[in-house]
Amino acid sequence: LFASVSTSDDAPAATAPASSAPAPDIDLDALEQRAAGLSLADVDSYGHGPLRGAVLVEGGLGGPDAVRQLLAGIPEGFPRPVLVRLQLDGGRYDRLVKQMERAARLPVALAETGQGAEAGTIYFVPPGMSLVQDRTRLVFVDGDAGSQPMLAMLPANDSALLLMSGSGVASVDTAMKQASAGMLVAGQALEGCYDAAASTALIERGGATGTPAELAEQLADRWPS
């Protein structure tokens, strides 16, 4: 009536669970390198990270031809905005933009209020317009602030000022102060310069000059594409 319970050593042993597969080797160095490459935003791009500078080009009488030669030498993909302030009789900046588009390798635009100054673009900035710093960007605003306040908006250690034919002498002293803080400051060479007052004042203060093509080369060396 009672079932017997076997205590024999011959009783089958309990089946051991199947061993799990060995854990794969993890290359921690590779994971670190891969994680380091992940980012929601490129902090080195224009508009992210620290405030980036710009190239400010001043000119007046005799300046358009020199500026055309300068812009023709700036390479594609130049990683800073190029801001051009030319004092023109009649103020036909729209026509000037179309003319410069044929010479420049970068896109050329007329600056507009509220527009951000984007890297790799040339902006012609008419009178009555200046700049403000908006977080990590430079934005065009209304206000006839003149060249000195506009220059002051640029971070000196990441910007340049080029004084072409017809530039005002008043900005030279301010420019040389910015040069001591790391700004690239240069003027158009006297030879071939129609109105060299600013370049002459720059040379008297120890500044450098060059032809438009040489100035474009300096920019390309400072900020490689």
Side-chain angles (χ1 to χ4, degrees), residues 183-211:
M183 180 175 286
L184 171 61
V185 177
Q188 183 179 346
L190 301 184
E191 184 178 356
C193 185
Y194 186 84
D195 180 358
S199 293
T200 300
L202 190 64
I203 293 172
E204 291 173 351
R205 291 161 177 77
T209 61
T211 65

Side-chain angles (χ1 to χ4, degrees), residues 2-95:
F2 296 96
S4 61
V5 178
S6 174
T7 59
S8 170
D9 293 337
D10 296 334
T15 303
S19 60
S20 58
D25 293 334
I26 299 176
D27 189 342
L28 296 179
D29 291 336
L31 286 178
E32 286 184 6
Q33 294 176 1
R34 186 175 301 174
L38 296 177
S39 174
L40 294 178
D42 182 0
V43 296
D44 290 329
S45 65
Y46 203 81
H48 297 90
L51 177 67
R52 295 299 184 89
V55 176
L56 178 59
V57 181
E58 298 275 355
L61 191 63
D65 187 58
V67 169
R68 179 186 58 78
Q69 296 176 51
L70 170 70
L71 299 183
I74 299 177
E76 295 180 8
F78 185 71
R80 295 294 181 274
V82 180
L83 317 178
V84 184
R85 289 169 57 101
L86 277 176
Q87 302 300 322
L88 295 179
D89 293 334
R92 294 300 305 271
Y93 291 93
D94 53 346
R95 178 182 296 179

